[in-house]
């Protein structure tokens, strides 16, 4: 992963600035749960500046470009009926309810590669790309929109302030431009990361930080990790201890 974003130098000490790299899949509901919990933690810690960066790691790299019906997918992968998966008592749905959202019950399983390319194409700043990621994730998981469809992506990027992307041919060309870099990073992450979501939280001065992977952290765990990373503003750099990182530039 690239170095953390540097905090601007100011005469008055600025609040800690954290870079959070999220290794994720736009079709993974657990990754979306992790994002919602992370956002809840960030909102509770208003004194900490945050830069979010999202990096694709596909859960189902061989998924057909047309996707798959959720009912057949859940039966094949989890031996669950669609009714069982959509039950309010299902753990994923309970966790969503705790954060006041719900998963759309009619969405298809998608191949999200094209959606990740749209995130990369959404702007030159990390903030613009993060806004695109969160917008597309909400449209898929909560509204059930097919974000692998170029028409949906064109509408989304247009709504996010890129009117040129409303032209589907222009969008396709832009996605092609970003495909090589996104897929190269994906191949690197496949060797280093064993699942999504994975969160690398780093402070912008020292590069010191926290790695969260495995089970999706609770909101309080995110709060603790953000606080610990922010407190490392004057700690020595951590180097490349996670195997994911470049040292601060």
């Amino acid at each position: 992963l690239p170095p953390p974003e540097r905090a601007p130098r100011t005469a008055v000490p600025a609040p800690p600035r954290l870079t959070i790299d999220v290794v994720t899949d736009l079709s993974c509901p657990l990754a979306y749960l992790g994002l919602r919990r992370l956002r809840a933690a960030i909102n509770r810690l208003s004194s900490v500046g945050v830069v979010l960066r999202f990096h694709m790691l596909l859960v189902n790299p061989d998924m057909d470009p047309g996707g798959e019906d959720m009912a057949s997918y859940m039966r094949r992968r989890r031996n669950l009926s669609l009714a069982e998966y959509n039950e309010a008592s299902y753990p994923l749905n309970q966790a969503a309810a705790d954060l006041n959202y719900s998963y759309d019950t009619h969405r298809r399983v998608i191949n999200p590669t094209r959606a990740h390319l749209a995130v990369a194409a959404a702007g030159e700043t990390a903030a613009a790309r993060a806004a695109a990621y969160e917008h597309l994730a909400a449209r898929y998981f909560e509204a059930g929109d097919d974000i692998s469809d170029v028409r949906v992506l064109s509408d989304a990027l247009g709504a996010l302030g890129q009117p040129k992307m409303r032209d589907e041919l222009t969008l396709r060309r832009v996605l092609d431009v970003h495909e090589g870099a996104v897929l190269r990073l994906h191949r690197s992450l496949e060797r280093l990361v064993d699942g999504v979501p994975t969160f690398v939280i780093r402070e912008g001065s020292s590069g010191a930080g926290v790695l969260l992977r495995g089970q999706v952290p609770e909101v309080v765990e995110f709060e603790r990790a953000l606080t610990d990373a922010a407190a490392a503003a004057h700690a020595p750099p951590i180097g490349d201890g996670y195997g994911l990182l470049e040292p601060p530039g």
Side-chain angles (χ1 to χ4, degrees):
L1 298 175
E5 300 278 336
R6 289 285 191 180
R9 296 183 180 275
T10 59
V12 178
R17 181 184 175 95
L18 303 179
T19 296
I20 305 176
D21 287 291
V22 186
V23 181
T24 185
D25 181 323
L26 266 166
S27 69
C28 175
L30 285 175
Y32 188 59
L33 173 63
L35 173 61
R36 292 296 301 256
R37 286 178 175 174
L38 173 62
R39 265 295 171 203
I42 291 170
N43 292 340
R44 293 181 186 180
L45 299 173
S46 57
S47 63
V48 177
V50 169
V51 176
L52 281 171
R53 303 188 300 201
F54 296 92
H55 312 283
M56 178 181 77
L57 181 63
L58 298 179
V59 173
N60 298 302
D62 299 322
M63 176 61 65
D64 186 86
E68 183 178 351
D69 180 74
M70 183 66 76
S72 64
Y73 179 84
M74 292 309 299
R75 181 62 71 187
R76 178 171 60 83
R77 290 293 296 267
R78 298 288 180 84
N79 196 29
L80 286 175
S81 70
L82 186 60
E84 289 172 317
Y85 180 61
N86 287 332
E87 255 315 314
S89 59
Y90 189 70
L92 178 69
N93 298 323
Q94 288 183 322
D98 289 342
L99 294 169
N100 298 313
Y101 79 93
S102 61
Y103 290 95
D104 183 85
T105 58
H106 301 290
R107 71 186 189 280
R108 287 176 59 79
V109 181
I110 62 167
N111 183 319
T113 301
R114 187 177 282 160
H116 282 281
L117 296 179
V119 171
E124 296 183 0
T125 66
R129 294 188 293 272
Y133 181 96
E134 295 188 63
H135 178 82
L136 290 174
R139 285 188 65 161
Y140 174 59
F141 288 110
E142 298 187 46
D145 291 343
D146 181 357
I147 59 171
S148 67
D149 189 320
V150 170
R151 291 169 296 181
V152 174
L153 295 175
S154 177
D155 176 71
L157 293 184
L160 289 168
Q162 295 201 52
K164 290 183 179 179
M165 298 301 181
R166 290 193 184 277
D167 178 76
E168 292 179 22
L169 181 59
T170 298
L171 176 59
R172 288 180 185 275
R173 289 172 175 165
V174 172
L175 298 184
D176 287 344
V177 168
H178 288 273
E179 184 174 16
V182 171
L183 293 181
R184 280 194 298 274
L185 180 57
H186 180 267
R187 287 192 291 270
S188 297
L189 291 173
E190 280 184 311
R191 299 192 297 269
L192 296 168
V193 181
D194 56 8
V196 301
T198 293
F199 303 87
V200 181
I201 303 172
R202 289 179 285 173
E203 193 277 323
S205 298
S206 68
V210 179
L211 175 67
L212 298 174
R213 58 187 173 187
Q215 294 291 325
V216 178
E218 298 286 345
V219 175
V220 292
E221 294 176 275
F222 275 123
E223 285 187 76
R224 184 162 53 247
L226 294 170
T227 301
D228 290 347
H234 304 292
I238 58 173
D240 198 23
Y242 301 146
L244 298 175
L245 318 177
E246 297 176 10

